[in-house]
Amino acid sequence: EDSEMLDEVVVVGYGTSTKKDLTGAVGIVSGEMIENRQAVQISNALQGAVAGLNVTRNSGAPGSGGTIRVRGNTTIGNNDALIIVDGIPTDDINNINPNDIENISVLKDAAASSIYGSRAANGVVIMTSKKGKMGQKARVSINAQYGWSRMTGDNIEMMNTEQWLNLQEMLDPGKAYDTTFQKRKKFYIDNGISTDWADVFFGDAAPTQQYDVNVVGGSEGINYYISFGHYDTEGIMDDSSLRRETLRSNVEVKVT
């Protein structure tokens, strides 16, 4: 058969179909796009990549994951999409190294996701990790990155203690006659007690470093992809950090 005469083929789980005959809504994200985004976590790499896929981060802390919704909330219960990695359902994709992902398919409607049953009611995100190819020469790749993160602009300007206590009196005039409040106010002002909490909590620059090493290759009877990743970052808020080390090994052997 002449491969140039074939139409594009889409794998639908229970077989294959030509793309023009596939009526289900499917979004595709290539591994190259994920790598270009330099995302720490896969959920971050998916933001804005597929129409109808919403990714929301509930925290800015290092390592915080995102909530994945396909076409918004569809039930009063759990609205999370079903996540499939190499055919295996998983609850947490944020511990997977994005550099190990070959491609991602997002099944967005009932026609496309029906093969997974009721678990797919909120959509399905299918991820395929990288693998070696038969006859591929062994290749070692190294990726190293180093950088810093910091707050944009200056720190938040805070009131000092005297200004804050005066504001309390403005909001509650009764505090002017509150003996305990006035004693505390005099003590703080007389002793110069004042703390800039923004300066206390937020540091200057937070370093980030990431290293990835992978070995890929294959022969007539075996193909392999082995990768190691190290990610270490400090948060812009003091005492917040993330250190993640990942190891993935995909090996296929043709026994006979």
Side-chain angles (χ1 to χ4, degrees):
E1 292 178 305
D2 189 351
S3 61
E4 294 179 355
M5 298 299 294
L6 293 175
D7 290 329
E8 185 174 355
V9 174
V10 176
V11 178
V12 293
Y14 45 80
T16 59
S17 300
T18 56
K19 193 169 185 178
K20 63 182 180 181
D21 295 331
L22 184 64
T23 58
V26 180
I28 306 295
V29 181
S30 66
E32 183 179 359
M33 177 185 292
I34 297 173
E35 291 179 1
N36 291 339
R37 291 191 168 205
Q38 300 295 330
V40 177
Q41 292 155 321
I42 296 177
S43 58
N44 297 339
L46 288 174
Q47 285 183 309
V50 178
L53 183 69
N54 301 321
V55 181
T56 305
R57 291 190 67 184
N58 300 320
S59 170
S64 61
T67 302
I68 298 177
R69 299 279 191 270
V70 177
R71 292 184 173 172
N73 295 339
T74 57
T75 175
I76 60 175
N78 185 1
N79 284 275
D80 293 345
L82 174 65
I83 309 296
I84 305 290
V85 180
D86 288 340
I88 301 174
T90 181
D91 294 326
D92 186 8
I93 63 173
N94 291 308
N95 289 325
I96 299 174
N97 189 343
N99 292 323
D100 289 338
I101 298 301
E102 181 71 27
N103 58 66
I104 300 175
S105 300
V106 181
L107 311 184
K108 296 183 285 185
D109 63 10
S113 58
S114 60
I115 57 175
Y116 293 101
S118 60
R119 295 181 302 169
N122 299 313
V124 185
V125 178
I126 304 174
M127 302 186 185
T128 303
S129 62
K130 294 179 179 178
K131 298 178 175 63
K133 297 179 180 179
M134 294 291 183
Q136 182 179 12
K137 292 183 178 180
R139 185 183 75 243
V140 178
S141 300
I142 300 175
N143 177 47
Q145 299 180 58
Y146 191 90
W148 293 268
S149 300
R150 65 182 302 273
M151 288 187 63
T152 56
D154 298 327
N155 283 344
I156 303 170
E157 186 176 350
M158 309 292 289
M159 292 185 292
N160 60 32
T161 302
E162 183 176 0
Q163 292 171 330
W164 183 78
L165 292 172
N166 289 336
L167 178 63
Q168 302 308 305
E169 287 188 357
M170 291 175 59
L171 297 174
D172 184 4
K175 289 185 181 295
Y177 308 99
D178 188 330
T179 304
T180 303
F181 178 84
Q182 292 300 323
K183 284 183 178 179
R184 184 177 60 167
K185 177 180 178 181
K186 184 177 186 303
F187 174 79
Y188 284 162
I189 295 175
D190 291 347
N191 291 276
I193 300 175
S194 184
T195 303
D196 186 345
W197 291 109
D199 184 60
V200 170
F201 283 115
F202 295 105
D204 295 325
T208 298
Q209 52 185 329
Q210 180 174 352
Y211 307 100
D212 293 295
V213 180
N214 63 68
V215 181
V216 60
S219 61
E220 185 176 349
I222 185 173
N223 65 73
Y224 54 87
Y225 175 88
I226 302 171
S227 72
F228 172 76
H230 173 82
Y231 180 82
D232 194 350
T233 183
E234 300 289 335
I236 60 173
M237 181 173 287
D238 289 341
D239 298 323
S240 62
S241 62
L242 167 68
R243 180 175 180 178
R244 182 187 67 195
E245 293 179 342
T246 58
L247 176 65
R248 177 170 290 271
S249 175
N250 282 340
V251 180
E252 296 181 354
V253 180
K254 183 178 180 181
V255 180
T256 62

